[in-house]
Amino acid sequence: MATLEDLGVSAFINIVGAFIFLLLFAVLRIQPINDRVYFPKLYIAKKRTHDHRGARRAINLNLCTYFKFLSWVPGALRMNQTELIHHAGLDSVVYLRIYTLGLKIFLPIMVVALLVLIPVNVSGGTLLNLKKDVVFSDIDKLSISNVSPGSNRFFIHLLMAYVFTFWTCFMLYKEYSNVAFMRLHFLASQKRCADQFTVIVRNIPRVSSHTTSETVEEFFRRNHPDHFLGQQAVYNANRYAKLVKRKERLQNWLDYYQLKFERHPDKRPTGRTGCFGFCGGEVDQIDYYRARISELDKRMASERQKVLNDPKAIMPVSFVTFDSRWGAAVCAQTQQSKNPTQWLTDWAPEPRDVYWENLAIPFFSLSIRRFLISIAVFALVFFYMIPIAFVQSLANLEGIEKVAPFVRPIIEVKVVKSFLQGFLPGLALKLFLYILPSVLMIMSKVEGYVSLSSLERRTASKYYYFMLVNVFLGSIIAGTAFEQLYSFFHDPPSEIPRTIGVAVPMKATFFMTYIMVDGWAGIANEILRVKPLVIYHLKNMFIVKTERDRERAMDPRNIQLGENLPSLQLYFLLGLVYAVITPILLPFIIVFYAFAFLVYRHQIINVYNQEYESAAAFWPQVHSRIIASLLISHVTLFGLLSTMKAAYSTPLLIFLPLLTIWFHKYCKSRFEPAFRKYPLEEAMEKDRMEHASEPSLNLKTYLANAYLHPIFHMFEQEEQKEETTLEVRIDKSQQQQQQQHHVRSSHTQYEERNTETHYYHEERSSSQYQYQYQHEETHMRSEQSPPHFVYHHEIQP
Amino acid sequence: MATLEDLGVSAFINIVGAFIFLLLFAVLRIQPINDRVYFPKLYIAKKRTHDHRGARRAINLNLCTYFKFLSWVPGALRMNQTELIHHAGLDSVVYLRIYTLGLKIFLPIMVVALLVLIPVNVSGGTLLNLKKDVVFSDIDKLSISNVSPGSNRFFIHLLMAYVFTFWTCFMLYKEYSNVAFMRLHFLASQKRCADQFTVIVRNIPRVSSHTTSETVEEFFRRNHPDHFLGQQAVYNANRYAKLVKRKERLQNWLDYYQLKFERHPDKRPTGRTGCFGFCGGEVDQIDYYRARISELDKRMASERQKVLNDPKAIMPVSFVTFDSRWGAAVCAQTQQSKNPTQWLTDWAPEPRDVYWENLAIPFFSLSIRRFLISIAVFALVFFYMIPIAFVQSLANLEGIEKVAPFVRPIIEVKVVKSFLQGFLPGLALKLFLYILPSVLMIMSKVEGYVSLSSLERRTASKYYYFMLVNVFLGSIIAGTAFEQLYSFFHDPPSEIPRTIGVAVPMKATFFMTYIMVDGWAGIANEILRVKPLVIYHLKNMFIVKTERDRERAMDPRNIQLGENLPSLQLYFLLGLVYAVITPILLPFIIVFYAFAFLVYRHQIINVYNQEYESAAAFWPQVHSRIIASLLISHVTLFGLLSTMKAAYSTPLLIFLPLLTIWFHKYCKSRFEPAFRKYPLEEAMEKDRMEHASEPSLNLKTYLANAYLHPIFHMFEQEEQKEETTLEVRIDKSQQQQQQQHHVRSSHTQYEERNTETHYYHEERSSSQYQYQYQHEETHMRSEQSPPHFVYHHEIQP
């Protein structure tokens, strides 16, 4: 067990680490050359332009600016909430509220706990007399373990458990109510956008004599005759997307060699073609890549024709639009078909939020996928524990020494010992956790969720289970198991609960170390952005030629909810579990919340660019995880007290989890529908207001291509090269004329419509994106290349 | 532990008991005097009339009929499924399918188990050698306990567990699909009825300047402008209902004394008025009761005025009707208000199915009620165990003898011993369970569900938990605890799982006894209807004067789903748990299913009168309980095998529960929506068909008073006495004229409308009730007297 001294070493290392990171950040951020690494969001929001950067030198020589190394802090606090919602979206703002919620919950708890519990624990000093075999540290003298078993002092701990739970619930209720209000207000004040009118329909049954589009058309005309407006079929363009990716790769190489040639015009770059450039004939690289690209272009053209003309390329999914929010709300919330596995309707996610790859998974396959993935997650969560447990055991050097006395000479070197105990376990754990989110995200994708926001939420939920079992339980039980190895095998099994109960407070130092490594140093690392910094400069060196390329080289990233939510939830868990048991842990958590709040507020203002806006859809998850933490803290305390012979006070604890569960159920029914459904009252109100203010609005035109697959822009581009763009006006009479006419039989028509296809990408950076009917070529190439293609077959000129 | 001989005695007692019940039934049912006890359903369905009975004598003297004591069996099988649905409703038919499902699942399993497992178990004979302390019986030689630990024979049991699970799942899938189809078909072929067009709205917020009716009107006109038709407010008439009850009691006494006076016209009945007739002045009873009734009539009249005129009597609940099934389906399935605790909409239950008392419970109160009741159920389930455990312990006489050797002389008397062991434990348990359903029903009512069908389902669910913990687990663990008292305190605790594992097969004989007492004799008792028989004849003797009174004295009852579903589910649990462990239990279960099927089919045809039709809404519960039984059987087998040193075979068992859970999830998403939601496709189809066949239908008139509180009929009656009935015709133009006019301001109007108020009660006996616009006085007084009063304020002549 780590002593206070080890903890001091760890704190020192981490604080110095954090300080170095901050210092580096202070130096790097004021270099104009790094401007696009540290302020990409401002570029995207057009609050900073290349002129601004170009006017200065690459290196900042103004010495004054170097001394203000914390100057970013006031900047992080400068926007108020409304501005921040406008700047970065509601998701980001509500995400920040999790940190403030942490502060609101734990600051008062910490004050009370330090004032009341620490004196109670310190004056109870009996741990030394009671258990001689179990190794423990000075920290334990401040914890509940120090109170003598059977003492009446446990009533104070019990009272505190009640007070802390009620306070937490009170804050949770206030926050849930706030966030729900913010969400409703946000949705109500949102400008018109396509997802308000659109429903995603999955599992459309195949009718032999009809095309999918005809089936959809017929079904909704029959069952929603008053409100159905139109539909957008989804095309399967997996192969085309692959070709696009390959072309992009070739284009990058071509750019690279052209740049090389420009720098050394005397020597045309050459190379071998086969086996990674080691064999094959010598060729001129520029000519070679040009030839391959033009060959690829031909294949892409033929593939494009295939996607558009092959009836099998249409998938049994469709985006169905309605003429009012009311109609869409009704369709999204009701069951359509007698067979509940067909015609599944749901709110369409925002166009930016759609995960196109998963649209076509049939119901039965979905059901199997979710089952298999849940087994896989279970296995991952529980078998990952083996390496973690091994690393954890290193934290208990005394335990190792007992079992393997021969390593004592090495470990006993003071610096090695402190380093091992203070730094290693947290770091090793963090490394383990580094690759995990990507694995979990892939799993979520396999599960078949159709929006990026739900994928992130699912990932967060998997990651939370992982953290709970491996970081929290794993650290407590496995670590203890190793320590108490000897006792375990020789005492009767009835002693086990007692030993575990004692182990929870003993693990406090480990978690303090963990908070310092993961929370303090980790957050400082977040603000430094080492990886994006390196990658940006590498790209800048080899690929970037134009201003647009530089824009593409920026990597603003986003909040990474899938990874950050569970970490945050772990801190809530630690705080709530140790609030009564070892309150000295709370200041560490408070420091984390305050520091992380500043850092993330800075990053949200200057760096992150959210890809979608889910209007705080993740809050119910945050809420229920904190409730789960409360319950775990009750169970832990119950287990601990029952080993402390606190026979009078322990039974009184039973009501606490019951009340918490009731509170959770009440909150769930009171607030959760605001996050899952769209009330008709609201829909009707907005419809009416809109109708009053814009009676002549042509919704059909407005919605025509809202759910256009990004790959469609590739098609556009290709077509543009080949033909002259025709300006097309759509009016309703023409539409109606041609409604029955199917585009796929007459491919040439669709090329005329590239004027209305790009509107939603224009405001990708703003949370309340508005649609503009302008055609900006700049964003064309910045699109990624997913494998499907959406095409609206109704709006034809 | 009971030996084979004890089991024989028990079987003998129960078979003789069942035989006597059947014989008695055979004799009693052919007595014309009992006709209304054994064939009430036929009277209600007008398939048998009083003339039919009146033509014969009170006692059957035709000797031939006495010999055919099983003659009811062919009668029970005579109707086919379609006729039975028409005769008794879908609920009854689907309830019978649970028994056939039991047969379908367990007959093949029994054949396979007896042919494969019994030989395997018998030839494994090592139980005697292994454990000398644990007492066991001959039955165990046929069970898995007889196989020597570590044997490879366990692979056969494992294989069987897989085969049985797959077979059960297959049958469950087929049955779920059948029942879902039957339900959809039933709903589709149902004639027009009010609940298809009606949505119940709860938690209507109070707006200060408006009445509740105006608020509702405004809200739905605004948010469902195209489909809203009208609404029926619900009045709080609790006090009036109390007065009605009191009057009924007085009326009964008056009837009694009048009858007495008629029989002995020489002596007018007298009595004392105070203190239960022991003190106070001597009065003429007939005059006394007449006076009290007329006094009560006056109070009722003033209370009636109060209900109609007091604005506080209107509750924040309303039945809102729509002009199409589509409109109602939309409103029922969507969220209405921004505040999810207000304007809660749901399908209105059938008018017969409404539980009026619970309509006005506010949301917050509901949430607290459910929480408190779930704690109460938990307490009931777990603390009820103490008496049960004590009674259970009696079943193990050897155990008692070990602990208390002085009772040995009494117990050792052979007849006493066999009686105690074979009959007592099952009977005592049954007695305990007798009062329970009523308690649980009261708990469900407190929880605040608004329909009788959901109340029954909730009761069933509570009762199931009770049975699971107390009958199943309680019998296994508590019984074992007593038996193995000695071992428990002296062995190390790690032996506990092993002992429990061994106890499961040892409890097989107890459950066989239980099946015989509860299943065989209990079902025979069900057909005899002792209690209704006695009560009917008592009523006949003291109260019945007219034919209508005789009709009221009939007590057909209904299936009592709340009580019968959990019992049935317990048999599934026993069958599935013991199928692999002690297959000799299966024949007992098969006999139960076959016998109970016949008896219940007979009762459904001739006796029971379902009060409502939920169209098999209970099936999802049946399905998931059987799945739960499967899971419990897997866990039990896993526990058992792990004590049997079957190290190779046990891990293979892990996939079974996983597959079962997946199967359940799949079924849930595949079929459950058919039981919870009403697809728009279906609604639209029916709307269209109706519109084509009856274009001139006046829905508004049709729906006018569909959700009229039964107590309204009392009002009608009262009014009738006072005034002449006016025949009123309603046509649409008049309605529209007066739509804004509120009835409560002009009370006299409503008296003119008693012609359209009784239509739905006419066909109370038929499952597919049709509305008739006739006014039959006969049913008036048969209405019970719940405490609210519904009044439609729109349809005014």
Side-chain angles (χ1 to χ4, degrees), chain A residues 464-652:
Chain A
Y464 176 76
Y465 293 124
F466 182 86
M467 302 268 273
L468 182 68
V469 172
N470 289 298
V471 180
F472 184 72
L473 293 181
S475 301
I476 287 176
I477 296 171
T480 309
F482 205 92
E483 270 174 36
Q484 320 257 340
L485 214 58
Y486 185 84
S487 326
F488 268 17
F489 282 116
H490 291 81
D491 288 353
S494 57
E495 281 287 299
I496 295 178
R498 191 190 171 87
T499 321
I500 288 177
V502 178
V504 174
M506 289 174 69
K507 274 292 163 187
T509 40
F510 165 72
F511 285 116
M512 286 177 205
T513 318
Y514 179 79
I515 292 167
M516 285 189 285
V517 174
D518 181 79
W520 300 4
I523 294 295
N525 180 35
E526 180 68 39
I527 202 172
L528 191 58
R529 308 194 81 227
V530 179
K531 206 175 136 199
L533 182 72
V534 172
I535 290 176
Y536 173 73
H537 285 299
L538 281 179
K539 276 186 179 169
N540 231 349
M541 219 173 289
F542 292 112
I543 303 173
V544 170
K545 283 178 304 181
T546 65
E547 200 56 42
R548 214 179 65 213
D549 289 344
R550 188 166 292 122
E551 214 144 283
R552 286 178 66 196
M554 285 196 316
D555 177 16
R557 305 227 225 161
N558 52 35
I559 294 181
Q560 308 277 2
L561 285 177
E563 198 168 341
N564 284 331
L565 280 185
S567 320
L568 262 173
Q569 284 150 2
L570 183 71
Y571 290 109
F572 277 99
L573 177 65
L574 291 179
L576 291 170
V577 165
Y578 282 102
V580 177
I581 294 176
T582 312
I584 198 71
L585 190 125
L586 290 176
F588 291 82
I589 288 181
I590 299 274
V591 169
F592 162 75
Y593 279 124
F595 184 41
F597 172 73
L598 286 178
V599 167
Y600 274 97
R601 207 165 199 278
H602 174 265
Q603 300 294 80
I604 282 169
I605 292 175
N606 297 310
V607 181
Y608 300 144
N609 183 33
Q610 285 306 95
E611 278 169 17
Y612 58 83
E613 176 62 57
S614 71
F618 56 82
W619 193 265
Q621 213 187 59
V622 173
H623 178 88
S624 48
R625 294 283 182 266
I626 299 179
I627 293 282
S629 306
L630 272 179
L631 292 176
I632 293 173
S633 79
H634 300 152
V635 171
T636 318
L637 188 63
F638 192 84
L640 181 64
L641 286 188
S642 67
T643 65
M644 292 291 217
K645 296 179 185 159
Y648 296 116
S649 42
T650 313
L652 291 175

Side-chain angles (χ1 to χ4, degrees), chain A residues 228-275:
Chain A
F228 175 69
L229 199 70
Q231 56 126 343
Q232 291 185 306
V234 178
Y235 286 59
N236 184 344
N238 278 314
R239 290 182 54 178
Y240 187 79
K242 258 187 210 163
L243 295 178
V244 169
K245 256 191 192 159
R246 201 187 296 171
K247 186 183 165 186
E248 225 163 51
R249 221 164 29 234
L250 294 175
Q251 189 70 46
N252 269 349
W253 280 113
L254 181 61
D255 289 353
Y256 170 74
Y257 284 117
Q258 273 176 337
L259 213 65
K260 207 172 169 184
F261 181 57
E262 276 165 30
R263 283 181 197 156
H264 310 277
D266 48 328
K267 187 184 149 204
R268 272 185 88 84
T270 56
R272 294 168 192 278
T273 52
C275 290

Side-chain angles (χ1 to χ4, degrees), chain A residues 149-262:
Chain A
S151 162
N152 276 336
R153 283 161 197 269
F154 288 121
F155 277 108
I156 297 170
H157 294 94
L158 197 81
L159 180 71
M160 285 297 121
Y162 271 88
V163 170
F164 294 168
T165 303
F166 279 113
W167 174 252
T168 308
C169 288
F170 175 67
M171 290 317 297
L172 277 176
Y173 184 85
K174 265 185 69 180
E175 199 65 19
Y176 211 153
S177 147
N178 269 342
V179 172
F181 175 79
M182 281 166 74
R183 178 183 161 94
L184 286 176
H185 181 77
F186 178 80
L187 291 177
S189 62
Q190 216 174 15
K191 297 230 173 61
R192 179 169 60 244
C193 50
D195 49 324
Q196 293 167 347
F197 299 92
T198 310
V199 164
I200 180 170
V201 183
R202 305 175 73 184
N203 286 21
I204 299 165
R206 294 228 183 260
V207 180
S208 55
S209 58
H210 289 48
T211 64
T212 305
S213 307
E214 284 164 1
T215 317
V216 173
E217 183 91 17
E218 200 185 301
F219 185 85
F220 283 94
R221 280 219 185 286
R222 195 171 64 237
N223 294 314
H224 294 269
D226 303 334
H227 299 285
F228 175 69
L229 199 70
Q231 56 126 343
Q232 291 185 306
V234 178
Y235 286 59
N236 184 344
N238 278 314
R239 290 182 54 178
Y240 187 79
K242 258 187 210 163
L243 295 178
V244 169
K245 256 191 192 159
R246 201 187 296 171
K247 186 183 165 186
E248 225 163 51
R249 221 164 29 234
L250 294 175
Q251 189 70 46
N252 269 349
W253 280 113
L254 181 61
D255 289 353
Y256 170 74
Y257 284 117
Q258 273 176 337
L259 213 65
K260 207 172 169 184
F261 181 57
E262 276 165 30

